[in-house]
Amino acid sequence: MAQCFLPLGGFYQFGYVTRDLDAAVVTLAEQFGVTRYRRKRSSEWMEAVHAWVGDSQIEVLQLGPGAPEMYHDYVPEAAGELRLQHLGRRVETLEDWRALEQAIAKGGFDTPMNASAMDGQLRAIYVDTRRLLGIYSEYVYFAGDALRIYDDVPRNDPTR
């Protein structure tokens, strides 16, 4: 990533928001054949469902009190609906991560969420690309133990 651009490669995740996680799971199963998933409370303000479909991960978030504002405009009206809020992209190296940070600064992008965990082995930043793409762009760097955080997320093959 020698250039100073926001990368569009490295895609791995569709990030959705829903009003009712139970109803969203039914929608995923009945309409898209996604029946295997991991459900987990990721924070005090969020419960999430993760599932692999081929090489793509589906993430569905139900918000609780204290959720960041960046999610609120995406909560759908009906219980079983899902709204695309972000696309998740992996950043492979720390050098690429630093280049990403430079591109974000150079482009003047807002970053409503920037987190680091597991002694920096997990880094995530949400870039406000709504004006350009209609949604947020999430960039994630995994190293060490963080490389295994999705190992327990089931795989689905809705074509069978």
Side-chain angles (χ1 to χ4, degrees):
M1 193 187 317
Q3 298 289 330
C4 204
F5 302 113
L6 289 181
L8 288 177
F11 170 78
Y12 81 100
Q13 182 189 75
F14 292 98
Y16 296 96
V17 176
T18 190
R19 178 168 302 284
D20 182 327
L21 204 52
D22 292 325
V25 166
V26 171
T27 297
L28 287 172
E30 291 179 353
Q31 302 298 318
F32 303 102
V34 178
T35 58
R36 302 180 70 229
Y37 55 88
R38 175 188 76 184
R39 188 170 182 158
K40 183 177 181 181
R41 177 157 298 283
S42 301
S43 72
E44 293 179 11
W45 53 265
M46 175 178 62
E47 188 171 5
V49 161
H50 291 93
W52 288 106
V53 180
D55 292 334
S56 299
Q57 186 182 89
I58 306 297
E59 176 181 68
V60 184
L61 307 175
Q62 179 179 313
L63 310 175
E69 283 297 316
M70 65 183 222
Y71 294 106
H72 291 270
D73 289 342
Y74 293 89
V75 178
E77 290 295 318
E81 295 176 355
L82 297 87
R83 290 290 176 271
L84 185 64
Q85 190 262 351
H86 71 270
L87 294 179
R89 294 179 171 85
R90 289 184 183 231
V91 176
E92 295 299 324
T93 67
L94 279 177
E95 179 181 288
D96 290 345
W97 186 264
R98 290 182 188 105
L100 171 66
E101 290 175 323
Q102 290 175 351
I104 291 168
K106 182 178 180 183
F109 290 98
D110 289 330
T111 55
M113 188 180 294
N114 189 349
S116 180
M118 302 175 72
D119 294 323
Q121 293 178 11
L122 172 60
R123 298 174 188 208
I125 189 167
Y126 278 81
V127 181
D128 188 349
T129 53
R130 291 176 297 169
R131 182 178 58 81
L132 301 170
L133 303 175
I135 58 174
Y136 288 88
S137 295
E138 178 190 31
Y139 295 93
V140 181
Y141 168 75
F142 300 102
D145 291 338
L147 289 167
R148 295 189 297 277
I149 67 169
Y150 293 132
D151 282 359
D152 62 339
V153 174
R155 295 196 172 270
N156 291 263
D157 184 1
T159 61
R160 291 184 180 178

